[in-house]
């Protein structure tokens, strides 16, 4: 006899299956991407993250933290692995109830990766709450629109070309330099305040080439000659008048 399955009994099974597929996708897809980008090292890191998750599920928080610290040291040159490791580390401190360590770890992570976020399908919303709050305390923004096509440097580090908007600049005072071909460099100081958007526009002076100096020199010579002619009056020299005739002699006396 054929066994019939009702809709009521089928729906829970479908729901459970969909949940498992979504859970697997949230974990497997990022790991596949990480493995493809990092090659063999990525595959090794994935297995270590699997071990971290097992330790966390078993409540072995300290062991999971130690393993994550080892991952951070071992994969110090892999941004993709480090971002994932910091997210796990913040999450474990949070689940352990150690808010202070969670904040310190999140701050350390943002020092390296100011735009760091935790995948919402895999981490608790509280992890991104840590990041969002700390970003307001640690970073401001800088916008420079004019003059156009200038190379911009902060503390001698090239950060882009104008018009430029830097959304996450570590709060503090910086040496600002703008450089553009044919112009003198602009140098100044800017103060980035936490949570504040700073808009900075400057003006650059053009450089004076050799033809400019020759033109200015020729103009000066012409001006001196004209002044000399003007002072002389431009007339022929005038001869002085002749001496007057001597007076007649006195009459003879008897």
């Amino acid at each position: 006899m054929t066994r019939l399955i009702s809709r009521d009994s089928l729906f829970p099974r479908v729901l459970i299956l969909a949940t498992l597929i979504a859970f697997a996708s949230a974990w497997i897809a990022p790991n596949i991407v990480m493995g493809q980008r990092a090659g063999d090292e990525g595959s090794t890191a994935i297995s270590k993250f699997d071990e971290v998750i097992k330790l966390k599920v078993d409540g072995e928080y300290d062991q999971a933290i130690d393993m994550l610290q080892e991952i951070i040291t071992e994969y110090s040159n892999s941004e993709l692995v480090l971002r994932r490791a910091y997210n796990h580390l913040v999450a474990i401190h949070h689940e352990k109830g150690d808010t202070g360590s969670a904040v310190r770890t999140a701050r350390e992570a943002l020092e390296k990766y100011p735009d760091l976020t935790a995948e919402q399908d895999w981490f608790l919303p509280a992890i991104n709450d840590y990041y969002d709050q700390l970003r307001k305390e640690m970073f401001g923004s800088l916008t420079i629109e004019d003059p156009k096509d200038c190379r911009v440097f902060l503390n001698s580090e090239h950060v882009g070309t104008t018009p430029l908007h830097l959304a996450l600049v570590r709060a503090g005072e910086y040496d600002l330099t703008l450089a553009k071909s044919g112009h003198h460099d602009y140098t100044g100081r800017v103060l980035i305040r936490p949570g504040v958007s700073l808009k900075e526009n400057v003006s650059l002076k053009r450089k004076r080439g050799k033809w400019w100096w020759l033109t200015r020199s020729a103009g000066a010579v012409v001006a001196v000659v004209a002044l000399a002619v003007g002072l002389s009056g431009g007339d022929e020299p005038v001869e002085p008048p002749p001496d007057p005739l001597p007076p007649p002699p006195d009459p003879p006396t008897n």
Side-chain angles (χ1 to χ4, degrees):
M1 175 183 289
T2 304
R3 185 178 179 182
L4 298 179
I5 301 176
S6 67
R7 291 184 179 180
D8 292 338
S9 62
L10 181 61
F11 179 75
R13 298 181 185 183
V14 174
L15 181 60
I16 293 172
L17 180 60
T19 303
L20 291 174
I21 293 174
F23 180 82
S25 299
W27 170 241
I28 295 174
N31 284 340
I32 291 175
V33 173
M34 184 168 66
Q36 291 175 341
R37 292 183 181 178
D40 294 338
E41 286 190 355
S43 300
T44 305
I46 290 172
S47 64
K48 292 188 177 184
F49 282 127
D50 287 340
E51 183 63 26
V52 167
I53 292 172
K54 292 178 183 177
L55 290 171
K56 183 176 69 171
V57 171
D58 293 337
E60 302 291 343
Y61 295 124
D62 291 337
Q63 290 87 333
I65 290 171
D66 289 341
M67 179 166 285
L68 285 169
Q69 294 289 5
E70 292 176 3
I71 292 174
I72 290 174
T73 301
E74 183 177 354
Y75 295 88
S76 59
N77 295 324
S78 176
E79 178 178 339
L80 193 64
V81 174
L82 289 180
R83 285 174 176 265
R84 175 69 64 83
Y86 276 119
N87 283 340
H88 278 294
L89 196 54
V90 175
I92 291 176
H93 282 306
H94 174 76
E95 294 180 29
K96 185 182 177 182
D98 190 351
T99 303
S101 294
V103 171
R104 285 192 295 273
T105 304
R107 185 182 296 275
E108 178 184 341
L110 291 178
E111 290 281 2
K112 294 183 178 181
Y113 310 112
D115 62 338
L116 181 62
T117 57
E119 300 95 327
Q120 295 181 359
D121 293 336
W122 189 247
F123 295 97
L124 295 172
I127 309 309
N128 282 324
D129 291 342
Y130 284 116
Y131 293 147
D132 292 340
Q133 180 59 40
L134 285 170
R135 266 189 279 266
K136 295 177 183 178
E137 300 173 7
M138 297 171 60
F139 301 95
S141 66
L142 174 64
T143 300
I144 306 175
E145 295 180 349
D146 294 312
K148 303 292 190 297
D149 301 321
C150 292
R151 291 174 294 143
V152 181
F153 300 83
L154 289 178
N155 289 348
S156 301
E157 179 184 355
H158 182 239
V159 294
T161 303
T162 56
L164 177 66
H165 175 69
L166 300 174
L168 294 170
V169 183
R170 191 71 167 91
E173 195 170 6
Y174 294 85
D175 290 321
L176 172 66
T177 302
L178 271 69
K180 185 175 182 179
S181 178
H183 295 73
H184 291 285
D185 292 351
Y186 167 86
T187 57
R189 299 281 288 175
V190 292
L191 178 62
I192 304 298
R193 293 183 172 87
V196 176
S197 298
L198 176 63
K199 188 173 183 180
E200 189 83 0
N201 291 324
V202 303
S203 60
L204 300 181
K205 294 182 178 179
R206 284 187 172 276
K207 289 183 178 180
R208 307 304 187 184
K210 62 180 181 180
W211 293 112
W212 184 88
W213 288 111
L214 288 174
T215 303
R216 293 296 295 265
S217 299
V221 171
V222 171
V224 170
V225 171
L227 179 62
V229 172
L231 291 176
S232 66
D235 298 328
E236 294 293 331
V238 178
E239 295 182 1
D243 292 335
L245 294 174
D250 294 334
T253 59
N254 295 325

